[in-house]
């Protein structure tokens, strides 16, 4: 896992901003860096690329008590996966 992967993934999550206006209420959000780290880690160890959206969905739903669907996570997941695949 490279620092630039985390930074790029955090940037993608920050632009998507699944928390919406509630992002301002989370004091230690850190631009989604923690969640980006978790996502990159799980993607890098996952051998099954068929359900990568589930990884993003589960991490964000658990971290922020959200109810994101798999389909809502497709776009950001593909962008993050492209970063991981470059390494």
């Amino acid at each position: 896992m490279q620092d630039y992967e985390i930074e790029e993934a955090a940037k993608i999550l920050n632009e998507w901003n699944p928390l919406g206006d509630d992002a301002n209420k989370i004091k230690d959000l850190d631009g989604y860096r923690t969640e980006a780290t978790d996502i990159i880690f799980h993607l890098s160890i996952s051998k099954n690329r068929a359900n990568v959206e589930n990884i993003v969905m589960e991490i964000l739903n658990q971290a922020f008590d959200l109810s994101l669907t798999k389909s809502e996570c497709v776009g950001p997941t593909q962008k993050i996966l492209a970063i991981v695949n470059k390494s």
Side-chain angles (χ1 to χ4, degrees):
M1 179 177 354
Q2 304 291 327
D3 281 340
Y4 79 89
E5 291 175 319
I6 296 168
E7 293 301 322
E8 290 299 312
K11 206 180 297 183
I12 291 165
L13 293 174
N14 206 32
E15 288 170 5
W16 176 34
N17 193 18
L19 284 168
D21 293 337
D22 289 340
N24 297 327
K25 297 176 185 174
I26 303 198
K27 295 177 183 164
D28 60 346
L29 183 60
D30 193 24
Y32 293 100
R33 186 173 169 77
T34 301
E35 294 72 33
T37 303
D38 289 347
I39 290 167
I40 296 291
F41 172 75
H42 283 88
L43 289 177
S44 68
I45 64 170
S46 175
K47 301 296 181 210
N48 182 4
R49 297 295 175 139
N51 293 313
V52 293
E53 291 87 3
N54 286 337
I55 293 171
V56 173
M57 180 186 72
E58 289 178 18
I59 288 172
L60 293 173
N61 283 343
Q62 288 175 9
F64 303 115
D65 195 28
L66 297 173
S67 298
L68 295 170
T69 64
K70 185 176 173 178
S71 63
E72 290 174 302
C73 299
V74 170
T77 299
Q78 294 308 312
K79 291 176 183 177
I80 293 170
L81 193 55
I83 293 164
V84 173
N85 288 338
K86 284 183 185 178
S87 300

